[in-house]
Amino acid sequence: MAVVLPPSPTVVSNPPALPDTHSTFARLLLLIGACMLGFFAGLVGALLLIGVIWHVPFTALPGILSAQVFHPQQRAISLFAQAVTHLAGFTVAPLILLAFTLPTRPFGLWVRAQGRFPLTWLLGGVALTLVSLPLISAAIEWNAGWHFTGPLADFDAWMRDKEAVARRATELITQMDTPTDLVLCVLALALVPAVGEELVFRGITQPTLTRLAGGRLHVGIWLTAILFSAIHVQFLGFVPRMLLGAGFGYLYAWSGRLAVPIAAHFTNNALQVVLLYMSQHGKLPGFDPDATAALPWPWVVGSVLLTTVVMIGLKRWWHPAALLPFSGQEDSETQPPRAL
């Protein structure tokens, strides 16, 4: 008896990979330079705007931003500076770089194609993030237990000092007293990083490293995930952040749309902000936002199974994004996706 399979969902043709004609090393160097210039310009712009908005002397800003000098608007100032700097370094500067260093027509096709995607793709990315949370909690617990001794004792001390500094900075900007504070934190700590970091890491770095690896997709995804985690300089959270980065990488590779990993990244960050807000206002008794203990093992096992099922489903129904060198002849609206 013949078995009739259900029809595949409507497929929106994937755009070709970033239409890059530069060598991989040149692209990475250009990207690093652009991000550094963007961060510097963003910082200067943020400092000037802070002086205008909050009437803070320029010489007092370093102390306020480092929490060494008290200011009644310290939290708002720090959050504003972080958002503007991140936006300039990870979003504006890379987009300007691409606009000036990529072929005009192919880049225009790639940009326009990024705005065409089924809503189900976004929901799939969000679902993958949510079902993987217990699994990530197990990785957090394991990673938080890392200790280095002997020749690496100094590195261990440095690593823990960086964690403490990051924790203090986070506590400073995430004390949310009102719903308005919550909305601002979601925008600055979830939306802005999701857009910028996915553009830089999944949109530019991942296809570049995939080309460097001879088109081997998995190598490009995991190398990018390692860099994505390392750049946060929080090594007691290195493994879970790397796993998240790899998940975002596969979402982009399979969908060809940056909006999909952006949605997943935003969901992860926004959920943490919302849970923290609820905890601060007594809505989650017993919840410790700084806890590193894993969720109960049945949850973790279920998460492993569900994450596997969701990823297989996404891989089954989505077509891989084209990661072959761009020839200049493809049209994202007429060409079918190319298999890896």
Side-chain angles (χ1 to χ4, degrees):
M1 182 176 64
V3 177
V4 179
L5 295 176
S8 297
T10 301
V11 175
V12 176
S13 297
N14 288 331
L18 197 68
D20 202 346
T21 56
H22 289 73
S23 70
T24 54
F25 289 108
R27 173 56 60 198
L28 292 174
L29 288 175
L30 286 170
L31 179 61
I32 293 171
C35 287
M36 292 179 65
L37 287 174
F39 276 113
F40 177 76
L43 179 60
V44 172
L47 295 180
L48 293 175
L49 288 173
I50 289 170
V52 172
I53 297 171
W54 285 282
H55 307 289
V56 178
F58 192 85
T59 55
L61 286 172
I64 294 173
L65 295 176
S66 62
Q68 296 177 347
V69 175
F70 174 77
H71 189 277
Q73 296 297 323
Q74 190 166 37
R75 183 178 59 211
I77 290 172
S78 298
L79 193 64
F80 179 82
Q82 177 169 319
V84 171
T85 304
H86 198 291
L87 185 66
F90 272 119
T91 303
V92 177
L95 284 176
I96 293 174
L97 172 70
L98 295 180
F100 280 93
T101 60
L102 295 180
T104 303
R105 181 178 177 276
F107 178 57
L109 292 174
W110 182 83
V111 170
R112 287 198 298 274
Q114 293 301 318
R116 302 190 181 103
F117 47 83
L119 178 62
T120 51
W121 290 12
L122 298 184
L123 296 178
V126 171
L128 180 62
T129 299
L130 295 177
V131 301
S132 66
L133 288 177
L135 169 61
I136 296 298
S137 76
I140 290 173
E141 181 179 66
W142 177 69
N143 197 168
W146 283 8
H147 291 279
F148 297 95
T149 58
L152 295 177
D154 289 341
F155 171 75
D156 188 85
W158 173 83
M159 177 178 67
R160 296 181 188 283
D161 180 65
K162 286 293 181 183
E163 290 289 330
V165 170
R167 189 180 304 110
R168 289 194 297 270
T170 301
E171 291 173 352
L172 172 66
I173 62 178
T174 56
Q175 180 57 48
M176 295 167 279
D177 299 327
T178 67
T180 301
D181 292 336
L182 170 62
V183 172
L184 292 176
C185 280
V186 168
L187 291 175
L189 304 179
L191 182 60
V192 171
V195 173
E197 291 175 12
E198 293 312 305
L199 170 64
V200 168
F201 288 99
R202 257 55 68 177
I204 304 176
T205 304
Q206 180 170 301
T208 302
L209 292 180
T210 299
R211 282 198 296 138
L212 183 63
R216 290 187 287 273
L217 174 64
H218 301 294
V219 175
I221 287 175
W222 284 96
L223 285 177
T224 303
I226 290 171
L227 290 175
F228 168 71
S229 185
I231 202 170
H232 287 81
V233 198
Q234 292 178 266
F235 293 100
L236 291 179
F238 181 87
V239 173
R241 192 173 287 108
M242 178 187 68
L243 294 177
L244 285 171
F248 301 154
Y250 282 107
L251 288 174
Y252 178 58
W254 293 338
S255 69
R257 298 303 194 278
L258 276 175
V260 180
I262 286 173
H265 195 152
F266 172 80
T267 299
N268 178 75
N269 289 15
L271 182 60
Q272 295 182 50
V273 173
V274 171
L275 290 176
L276 180 59
Y277 175 80
M278 295 175 66
S279 174
Q280 291 174 353
H281 291 265
K283 304 296 184 181
L284 296 173
F287 175 75
D288 181 4
D290 295 322
T292 57
L295 291 172
W297 69 265
W299 288 57
V300 176
V301 173
S303 176
V304 172
L305 295 176
L306 284 175
T307 300
T308 302
V309 168
V310 171
M311 292 194 73
I312 291 175
L314 296 178
K315 182 64 168 66
R316 163 67 178 84
W317 292 108
W318 291 354
H319 288 252
L323 290 174
L324 301 176
F326 189 81
S327 67
Q329 303 299 319
E330 296 91 334
D331 187 317
S332 62
E333 299 184 28
T334 60
Q335 294 295 320
R338 291 172 291 182
L340 293 171

